[in-house]
Amino acid sequence: MAFEKILIVGFGTMTGAMVDGWIAAGYPASRFEVYHPDKTRVAHDLRVHNSWPDAGYDAILLGVKPHMLDDIAGGLAALAGSETVILSVLAGVELSSLRDRFPHAAGVVRFMPNLAVALGKSPNALVAEGLSEPRMTAVTQLASDIGTAEWLQDESQFNLVTALAGSGPGFVYRFIDALAAGAAELGLDPAQAGRLATAMVDGAAALAAASEHSPGELARRVASPGGMTQKGLDVLDADDALKKLLTECLRSARDRGAEMAEQARKQG
């Protein structure tokens, strides 16, 4: 089966990027409709409902702010019947919280992409409860058409995967910015430093994705003993400083997800 009729509740940056990706992958815009109490037009001229539409959707994609879940749950519950799957990109909102609010749905799915979905390049973390095999296949197809589908068996790992794959682009952007700022501090024109840093990371990431070697092995191959690259790596590797910094970065993001999940449970 395929999800031929999808209602998007909360058409923001992330769900908009997902639709961009699906449209680029060849999905017709008629496959998607939007519920929004105020907007009258959205990208791709999708049909917009200002009041709750009739039931009949194969899937409902939730993209509101997590604290707004209870604001829309009452009106949405009538649409989330036994033929409709709930897909949620709400950070920190657990499967149990979704099931509590939509008990009659055909299944609930946590679907965590990043903004690279617009380019079809997002790792999409997935975990579900109550899905039939055909519906799981349909969700896998949705995710694969805008990147890759990474199913988790254990929801307890979801916040960590979200910190890595969902929040990760923000950390990479900081790294690019820091590289450029460092080069500018040492005398390079700031605009040129920014262009060079961005292009370098783009190429390096593409090579890492295409290579048979791990990123660690690629770093070793780039570095000649006693050469320029090795001298720079020595700074990053000293006392495992970079690893420790990024471990704490991921820990902090993961723990915030746990805090948000606790808040969602209390609201329910």
Side-chain angles (χ1 to χ4, degrees):
M1 68 172 295
F3 296 145
E4 297 294 341
K5 191 175 180 183
I6 300 173
L7 179 67
I8 302 169
V9 181
F11 196 84
T13 301
M14 183 59 74
T15 51
M18 294 169 79
V19 171
D20 288 344
W22 282 318
I23 297 293
Y27 287 36
S30 59
R31 197 163 174 175
F32 307 98
E33 297 179 10
V34 173
Y35 166 77
H36 197 287
D38 302 317
K39 290 182 179 179
T40 56
R41 291 194 64 183
V42 298
H44 306 291
D45 289 325
L46 304 185
R47 183 180 181 185
V48 178
H49 301 274
N50 296 132
S51 58
W52 291 113
D54 294 331
Y57 295 95
D58 301 310
I60 297 171
L61 175 60
L62 302 181
V64 299
K65 299 294 184 184
H67 71 270
M68 296 175 60
L69 179 58
D70 283 333
D71 296 337
I72 56 98
L76 190 56
L79 280 66
S82 61
E83 299 301 316
T84 303
V85 172
I86 295 291
L87 308 171
S88 170
V89 299
L90 278 57
V93 177
E94 297 169 318
L95 293 174
S96 59
S97 294
L98 294 169
R99 180 55 83 185
D100 285 346
R101 290 160 175 85
F102 308 109
H104 304 299
V108 292
V109 182
R110 295 182 71 181
F111 188 137
M112 187 52 63
N114 66 44
L115 290 177
V117 287
L119 303 176
K121 291 183 176 294
S122 172
N124 301 301
L126 301 161
V127 67
E129 185 269 314
L131 281 189
S132 65
E133 194 66 33
R135 288 189 170 96
M136 181 171 285
T137 299
V139 173
T140 300
Q141 188 65 59
L142 281 178
S144 298
D145 285 339
I146 49 176
T148 59
E150 295 285 348
W151 283 98
L152 305 182
Q153 299 302 314
D154 185 352
E155 189 183 10
S156 68
Q157 295 297 312
F158 201 85
N159 288 331
L160 177 56
V161 172
T162 298
L164 174 60
S167 302
F171 310 147
V172 172
Y173 301 147
R174 275 284 193 266
F175 178 72
I176 296 171
D177 193 50
L179 277 175
E185 182 74 18
L186 294 172
L188 201 60
D189 173 75
Q192 187 174 52
R195 292 193 300 271
L196 287 167
T198 300
M200 178 278 297
V201 171
D202 181 40
L207 180 58
S211 177
E212 62 180 310
H213 302 296
S214 69
E217 174 61 16
L218 288 174
R220 190 191 68 77
R221 287 169 175 255
V222 169
S224 300
M228 293 173 62
T229 304
Q230 187 58 56
K231 283 295 184 181
L233 289 174
D234 288 345
V235 174
L236 296 178
D237 294 341
D239 298 321
D240 279 337
L242 182 61
K243 177 183 175 182
K244 291 175 182 176
L245 176 65
L246 291 177
T247 299
E248 287 309 305
C249 173
L250 292 173
R251 189 195 315 278
S252 183
R254 180 203 64 185
D255 291 352
R256 176 56 183 151
E259 292 171 359
M260 295 170 70
E262 179 63 23
Q263 291 168 2
R265 287 195 293 270
K266 289 179 178 177
Q267 289 173 356

